[in-house]
Amino acid sequence: MTVNKCTWAAGVVVALWAGQAMADVVLTAHLAPPTQPWYVNDTHDFAITVTNSGTDPSPAGASVYIAVPLETELVTPLPHGCVARPSALVQYVDCPVPVTAAGASTTLTLPATGLLVYEPPGNGMDLRVITQFSYDNGSGAVQQFPATYIGGPFYIVARPTQPVGTVAPVPTLGGWALGLLGASLAALGLRRKRQAA
């Protein structure tokens, strides 16, 4: 929208052209904690919801940098358009953010495998995901916005094992099965009696 403002300066009309109004794009990310309990070697989704809380659609070419905890590794192949940053494990990726209308959301789903145990320490520390957006918020140039910790608390725990020395439960038969077993045993007993006679 072009704004035309007029002011008086020494009796002369001066026109001030404000030009194109600045767009208002604000992208934020939210992560619902992955399914708990998360056992080592199990895979769960990092479902990251990106919301545009501004008043204008987000521009094409927006991207989000995602860093997952060191105790996890993203599963390859990555979602379409996501590119891993060089590292020993796939823990850092850049993903495109589709054009998102004002007030709308889009979700990026990144499956990850738990590599290491990270038990609840009880002191407020927990695993989180880091996101950082890059997009033109109306300034005419791509801006990089501060990194944000999202999600949590979530933990990765060892799979429980059956304690040594415990007795496994003995499977039991239902009423029908017991009836059939009894009839079979009775028939077997009659057959043996006949053979003995």
Side-chain angles (χ1 to χ4, degrees):
M1 179 178 88
T2 301
V3 179
N4 183 5
K5 294 183 180 177
C6 294
T7 60
W8 288 92
V12 180
V13 176
V14 179
L16 301 178
W17 295 91
Q20 184 70 28
M22 182 177 277
D24 180 18
V25 178
V26 181
L27 297 180
T28 56
H30 172 76
L31 171 70
T35 304
Q36 299 287 284
W38 186 345
Y39 298 122
V40 172
N41 297 324
D42 280 0
T43 298
H44 291 289
D45 288 340
F46 287 122
I48 299 169
T49 301
V50 176
T51 301
N52 179 7
S53 56
T55 57
D56 293 287
S58 66
S63 65
V64 59
Y65 161 73
I66 300 167
V68 299
L70 296 174
E71 291 79 6
T72 65
E73 181 179 18
L74 296 174
V75 174
T76 55
L78 298 169
H80 179 71
C82 293
V83 177
R85 292 195 179 188
S87 69
L89 299 173
V90 183
Q91 294 173 301
Y92 315 99
V93 295
D94 291 294
C95 292
V97 177
V99 173
T100 306
S105 299
T106 186
T107 300
L108 300 168
T109 302
L110 296 168
T113 301
L115 299 180
L116 300 170
V117 169
Y118 191 92
E119 298 274 4
N123 61 359
M125 298 293 291
D126 53 59
L127 299 181
R128 292 181 185 271
V129 169
I130 300 172
T131 58
Q132 184 173 27
F133 287 100
S134 297
Y135 60 93
D136 178 2
N137 66 341
S139 64
V142 173
Q143 308 284 318
Q144 195 169 71
F145 296 87
T148 305
Y149 287 89
I150 62 172
F154 61 90
Y155 305 96
I156 300 171
V157 297
R159 189 179 304 280
T161 56
Q162 188 172 343
V164 177
T166 58
V167 179
V170 177
T172 57
L173 297 174
W176 256 90
L178 283 173
L180 288 173
L181 180 61
S184 298
L185 290 174
L188 183 60
L190 285 174
R191 185 174 174 193
R192 284 188 175 171
K193 270 187 180 180
R194 286 182 188 158
Q195 286 176 350

